[in-house]
mmCIF file with all atom_site columns, all heavy atoms in Angstrom:
data_model
loop_
_atom_site.group_PDB
_atom_site.id
_atom_site.type_symbol
_atom_site.label_atom_id
_atom_site.label_alt_id
_atom_site.label_comp_id
_atom_site.label_asym_id
_atom_site.label_entity_id
_atom_site.label_seq_id
_atom_site.pdbx_PDB_ins_code
_atom_site.Cartn_x
_atom_site.Cartn_y
_atom_site.Cartn_z
_atom_site.occupancy
_atom_site.B_iso_or_equiv
_atom_site.pdbx_formal_charge
_atom_site.auth_seq_id
_atom_site.auth_comp_id
_atom_site.auth_asym_id
_atom_site.auth_atom_id
_atom_site.pdbx_PDB_model_num
ATOM 1  N N   . PRO N 1 174 ? 10.403 26.898 2.463   1.00 89.00 ? 174 PRO N N   1
ATOM 2  C CA  . PRO N 1 174 ? 11.419 26.716 1.444   1.00 89.00 ? 174 PRO N CA  1
ATOM 3  C C   . PRO N 1 174 ? 12.299 27.974 1.295   1.00 89.00 ? 174 PRO N C   1
ATOM 4  O O   . PRO N 1 174 ? 11.904 29.093 1.619   1.00 89.00 ? 174 PRO N O   1
ATOM 5  C CB  . PRO N 1 174 ? 10.621 26.503 0.169   1.00 89.00 ? 174 PRO N CB  1
ATOM 6  C CG  . PRO N 1 174 ? 9.229  26.214 0.613   1.00 89.00 ? 174 PRO N CG  1
ATOM 7  C CD  . PRO N 1 174 ? 9.078  26.932 1.896   1.00 89.00 ? 174 PRO N CD  1
ATOM 8  N N   . ASN N 1 175 ? 13.480 27.770 0.777   1.00 81.00 ? 175 ASN N N   1
ATOM 9  C CA  . ASN N 1 175 ? 14.295 28.887 0.281   1.00 81.00 ? 175 ASN N CA  1
ATOM 10 C C   . ASN N 1 175 ? 13.996 28.979 -1.209  1.00 81.00 ? 175 ASN N C   1
ATOM 11 O O   . ASN N 1 175 ? 12.910 28.631 -1.640  1.00 81.00 ? 175 ASN N O   1
ATOM 12 C CB  . ASN N 1 175 ? 15.771 28.597 0.579   1.00 81.00 ? 175 ASN N CB  1
ATOM 13 C CG  . ASN N 1 175 ? 16.597 29.894 0.613   1.00 81.00 ? 175 ASN N CG  1
ATOM 14 O OD1 . ASN N 1 175 ? 16.369 30.803 -0.135  1.00 81.00 ? 175 ASN N OD1 1
ATOM 15 N ND2 . ASN N 1 175 ? 17.578 29.929 1.552   1.00 81.00 ? 175 ASN N ND2 1
ATOM 16 N N   . GLU N 1 176 ? 14.941 29.455 -1.993  1.00 78.00 ? 176 GLU N N   1
ATOM 17 C CA  . GLU N 1 176 ? 14.688 29.630 -3.425  1.00 78.00 ? 176 GLU N CA  1
ATOM 18 C C   . GLU N 1 176 ? 14.430 28.285 -4.093  1.00 78.00 ? 176 GLU N C   1
ATOM 19 O O   . GLU N 1 176 ? 15.097 27.266 -3.807  1.00 78.00 ? 176 GLU N O   1
ATOM 20 C CB  . GLU N 1 176 ? 15.882 30.294 -4.123  1.00 78.00 ? 176 GLU N CB  1
ATOM 21 C CG  . GLU N 1 176 ? 16.306 31.585 -3.496  1.00 78.00 ? 176 GLU N CG  1
ATOM 22 C CD  . GLU N 1 176 ? 15.396 32.736 -3.791  1.00 78.00 ? 176 GLU N CD  1
ATOM 23 O OE1 . GLU N 1 176 ? 14.312 32.496 -4.391  1.00 78.00 ? 176 GLU N OE1 1
ATOM 24 O OE2 . GLU N 1 176 ? 15.721 33.875 -3.444  1.00 78.00 ? 176 GLU N OE2 1
ATOM 25 N N   . VAL N 1 177 ? 13.430 28.240 -4.970  1.00 76.00 ? 177 VAL N N   1
ATOM 26 C CA  . VAL N 1 177 ? 13.085 26.980 -5.698  1.00 76.00 ? 177 VAL N CA  1
ATOM 27 C C   . VAL N 1 177 ? 12.954 27.386 -7.177  1.00 76.00 ? 177 VAL N C   1
ATOM 28 O O   . VAL N 1 177 ? 12.367 28.424 -7.552  1.00 76.00 ? 177 VAL N O   1
ATOM 29 C CB  . VAL N 1 177 ? 11.753 26.392 -5.181  1.00 76.00 ? 177 VAL N CB  1
ATOM 30 C CG1 . VAL N 1 177 ? 11.408 25.140 -5.943  1.00 76.00 ? 177 VAL N CG1 1
ATOM 31 C CG2 . VAL N 1 177 ? 11.806 26.157 -3.691  1.00 76.00 ? 177 VAL N CG2 1
ATOM 32 N N   . ASN N 1 178 ? 13.476 26.530 -8.054  1.00 76.00 ? 178 ASN N N   1
ATOM 33 C CA  . ASN N 1 178 ? 13.453 26.767 -9.495  1.00 76.00 ? 178 ASN N CA  1
ATOM 34 C C   . ASN N 1 178 ? 12.035 26.555 -10.016 1.00 76.00 ? 178 ASN N C   1
ATOM 35 O O   . ASN N 1 178 ? 11.696 25.449 -10.444 1.00 76.00 ? 178 ASN N O   1
ATOM 36 C CB  . ASN N 1 178 ? 14.440 25.872 -10.198 1.00 76.00 ? 178 ASN N CB  1
ATOM 37 C CG  . ASN N 1 178 ? 14.593 26.180 -11.685 1.00 76.00 ? 178 ASN N CG  1
ATOM 38 O OD1 . ASN N 1 178 ? 13.874 27.052 -12.200 1.00 76.00 ? 178 ASN N OD1 1
ATOM 39 N ND2 . ASN N 1 178 ? 15.449 25.464 -12.348 1.00 76.00 ? 178 ASN N ND2 1
ATOM 40 N N   . THR N 1 179 ? 11.234 27.594 -9.959  1.00 74.00 ? 179 THR N N   1
ATOM 41 C CA  . THR N 1 179 ? 9.850  27.559 -10.427 1.00 74.00 ? 179 THR N CA  1
ATOM 42 C C   . THR N 1 179 ? 9.611  28.686 -11.447 1.00 74.00 ? 179 THR N C   1
ATOM 43 O O   . THR N 1 179 ? 10.395 29.615 -11.525 1.00 74.00 ? 179 THR N O   1
ATOM 44 C CB  . THR N 1 179 ? 8.888  27.783 -9.238  1.00 74.00 ? 179 THR N CB  1
ATOM 45 O OG1 . THR N 1 179 ? 9.079  29.090 -8.700  1.00 74.00 ? 179 THR N OG1 1
ATOM 46 C CG2 . THR N 1 179 ? 9.125  26.731 -8.130  1.00 74.00 ? 179 THR N CG2 1
ATOM 47 N N   . LEU N 1 197 ? 19.914 31.933 -12.034 1.00 78.00 ? 197 LEU N N   1
ATOM 48 C CA  . LEU N 1 197 ? 19.800 30.693 -11.226 1.00 78.00 ? 197 LEU N CA  1
ATOM 49 C C   . LEU N 1 197 ? 21.148 30.052 -11.030 1.00 78.00 ? 197 LEU N C   1
ATOM 50 O O   . LEU N 1 197 ? 21.443 29.548 -9.906  1.00 78.00 ? 197 LEU N O   1
ATOM 51 C CB  . LEU N 1 197 ? 18.848 29.713 -11.936 1.00 78.00 ? 197 LEU N CB  1
ATOM 52 C CG  . LEU N 1 197 ? 17.350 29.913 -11.633 1.00 78.00 ? 197 LEU N CG  1
ATOM 53 C CD1 . LEU N 1 197 ? 16.524 29.138 -12.664 1.00 78.00 ? 197 LEU N CD1 1
ATOM 54 C CD2 . LEU N 1 197 ? 17.026 29.471 -10.244 1.00 78.00 ? 197 LEU N CD2 1
ATOM 55 N N   . VAL N 1 204 ? 24.589 28.154 -2.522  1.00 81.00 ? 204 VAL N N   1
ATOM 56 C CA  . VAL N 1 204 ? 23.993 26.985 -1.820  1.00 81.00 ? 204 VAL N CA  1
ATOM 57 C C   . VAL N 1 204 ? 25.096 25.905 -1.662  1.00 81.00 ? 204 VAL N C   1
ATOM 58 O O   . VAL N 1 204 ? 25.780 25.631 -2.645  1.00 81.00 ? 204 VAL N O   1
ATOM 59 C CB  . VAL N 1 204 ? 22.788 26.452 -2.579  1.00 81.00 ? 204 VAL N CB  1
ATOM 60 C CG1 . VAL N 1 204 ? 22.170 25.274 -1.831  1.00 81.00 ? 204 VAL N CG1 1
ATOM 61 C CG2 . VAL N 1 204 ? 21.743 27.548 -2.816  1.00 81.00 ? 204 VAL N CG2 1
ATOM 62 N N   . ILE N 1 206 ? 25.132 22.708 -1.795  1.00 84.00 ? 206 ILE N N   1
ATOM 63 C CA  . ILE N 1 206 ? 25.151 21.596 -2.781  1.00 84.00 ? 206 ILE N CA  1
ATOM 64 C C   . ILE N 1 206 ? 25.253 22.112 -4.204  1.00 84.00 ? 206 ILE N C   1
ATOM 65 O O   . ILE N 1 206 ? 25.305 21.330 -5.152  1.00 84.00 ? 206 ILE N O   1
ATOM 66 C CB  . ILE N 1 206 ? 23.890 20.700 -2.660  1.00 84.00 ? 206 ILE N CB  1
ATOM 67 C CG1 . ILE N 1 206 ? 22.620 21.480 -2.915  1.00 84.00 ? 206 ILE N CG1 1
ATOM 68 C CG2 . ILE N 1 206 ? 23.884 20.071 -1.260  1.00 84.00 ? 206 ILE N CG2 1
ATOM 69 C CD1 . ILE N 1 206 ? 21.397 20.583 -2.982  1.00 84.00 ? 206 ILE N CD1 1
ATOM 70 N N   . ARG N 1 208 ? 23.226 24.153 -6.031  1.00 83.00 ? 208 ARG N N   1
ATOM 71 C CA  . ARG N 1 208 ? 21.991 24.448 -6.788  1.00 83.00 ? 208 ARG N CA  1
ATOM 72 C C   . ARG N 1 208 ? 20.865 24.770 -5.828  1.00 83.00 ? 208 ARG N C   1
ATOM 73 O O   . ARG N 1 208 ? 20.854 24.305 -4.726  1.00 83.00 ? 208 ARG N O   1
ATOM 74 C CB  . ARG N 1 208 ? 21.589 23.272 -7.710  1.00 83.00 ? 208 ARG N CB  1
ATOM 75 C CG  . ARG N 1 208 ? 21.294 22.003 -6.953  1.00 83.00 ? 208 ARG N CG  1
ATOM 76 C CD  . ARG N 1 208 ? 20.690 20.930 -7.805  1.00 83.00 ? 208 ARG N CD  1
ATOM 77 N NE  . ARG N 1 208 ? 20.486 19.696 -7.071  1.00 83.00 ? 208 ARG N NE  1
ATOM 78 C CZ  . ARG N 1 208 ? 19.448 19.431 -6.219  1.00 83.00 ? 208 ARG N CZ  1
ATOM 79 N NH1 . ARG N 1 208 ? 18.532 20.427 -6.031  1.00 83.00 ? 208 ARG N NH1 1
ATOM 80 N NH2 . ARG N 1 208 ? 19.353 18.297 -5.629  1.00 83.00 ? 208 ARG N NH2 1
ATOM 81 N N   . VAL N 1 209 ? 19.879 25.503 -6.346  1.00 79.00 ? 209 VAL N N   1
ATOM 82 C CA  . VAL N 1 209 ? 18.694 25.765 -5.574  1.00 79.00 ? 209 VAL N CA  1
ATOM 83 C C   . VAL N 1 209 ? 17.757 24.540 -5.697  1.00 79.00 ? 209 VAL N C   1
ATOM 84 O O   . VAL N 1 209 ? 18.039 23.626 -6.519  1.00 79.00 ? 209 VAL N O   1
ATOM 85 C CB  . VAL N 1 209 ? 17.968 27.014 -6.034  1.00 79.00 ? 209 VAL N CB  1
ATOM 86 C CG1 . VAL N 1 209 ? 18.845 28.246 -5.913  1.00 79.00 ? 209 VAL N CG1 1
ATOM 87 C CG2 . VAL N 1 209 ? 17.434 26.875 -7.472  1.00 79.00 ? 209 VAL N CG2 1
ATOM 88 N N   . ALA N 1 210 ? 16.740 24.523 -4.913  1.00 78.00 ? 210 ALA N N   1
ATOM 89 C CA  . ALA N 1 210 ? 15.811 23.377 -4.950  1.00 78.00 ? 210 ALA N CA  1
ATOM 90 C C   . ALA N 1 210 ? 15.075 23.308 -6.255  1.00 78.00 ? 210 ALA N C   1
ATOM 91 O O   . ALA N 1 210 ? 14.854 24.341 -6.917  1.00 78.00 ? 210 ALA N O   1
ATOM 92 C CB  . ALA N 1 210 ? 14.820 23.464 -3.803  1.00 78.00 ? 210 ALA N CB  1
#
Side-chain angles (χ1 to χ4, degrees):
N175 204 321
E176 306 286 7
V177 181
N178 185 358
T179 64
L197 276 165
V204 181
I206 63 172
R208 60 171 176 79
V209 300

